[in-house]
Amino acid sequence: TAKKYLKTRSSIVSLLASSYHSHPASSRDKCLCRIAMDRKSNVSRTTSETDIQIEMNLDGKGKYNISTGVNFFNHMLEAFSKHSMIDLVVDAKGDIEIDDHHTIEDVGILLGEAFRQAIGDKRGIKRMADATVPMDESVAKVAIDISGRSYCNMEFDFTNEKIGDMT
């Protein structure tokens, strides 16, 4: 299992790259070919509240350049990029002097668009995956389905009104 973990690099990368051993020889070559292809995206979104550009490389090295104006959100996106090995550039300008939710919401919408563009026709990609990640004082549980039906359910129990500078 340690070898398998090192091969997949992360649960997100394993979602996006089908397992070599789960396909018969005839489809194995297609799968490896698909993984070697460029899986990058460059998307932007401008509204009356935000102006955002995102560049993504699913087959990256975990390099990032994140600027949202919300330090804790930057930290979370940087951790996502680093641990998923997805290169990520996010340049977001928003009305954070009023509230940070427009910026966070629009970055989330655009990240979904960036993923959709980067994965293309989804050939050779597992449709769904899940992961449980224990951390110092928390546990993250994630289930992902890239079927195209949009839905997000997040459950948090916060004891403070803010996390860092994020409301």
Side-chain angles (χ1 to χ4, degrees), residues 5 30 100 130 143 150:
Y5 175 77
K30 287 181 188 175
D100 55 20
D130 69 300
S150 59

Side-chain angles (χ1 to χ4, degrees), residues 55-94:
E55 295 176 32
M56 180 182 288
N57 178 1
L58 297 179
D59 302 306
K61 294 179 173 30
K63 296 179 182 176
Y64 54 82
N65 184 1
I66 311 292
S67 175
T68 67
V70 183
N71 293 327
F72 183 74
F73 190 44
N74 290 351
H75 167 71
M76 296 304 290
L77 292 171
E78 290 165 358
F80 165 76
S81 173
K82 177 181 176 181
H83 295 293
S84 68
M85 302 297 287
I86 294 173
D87 292 348
L88 186 62
V89 175
V90 177
D91 182 23
K93 293 169 184 58

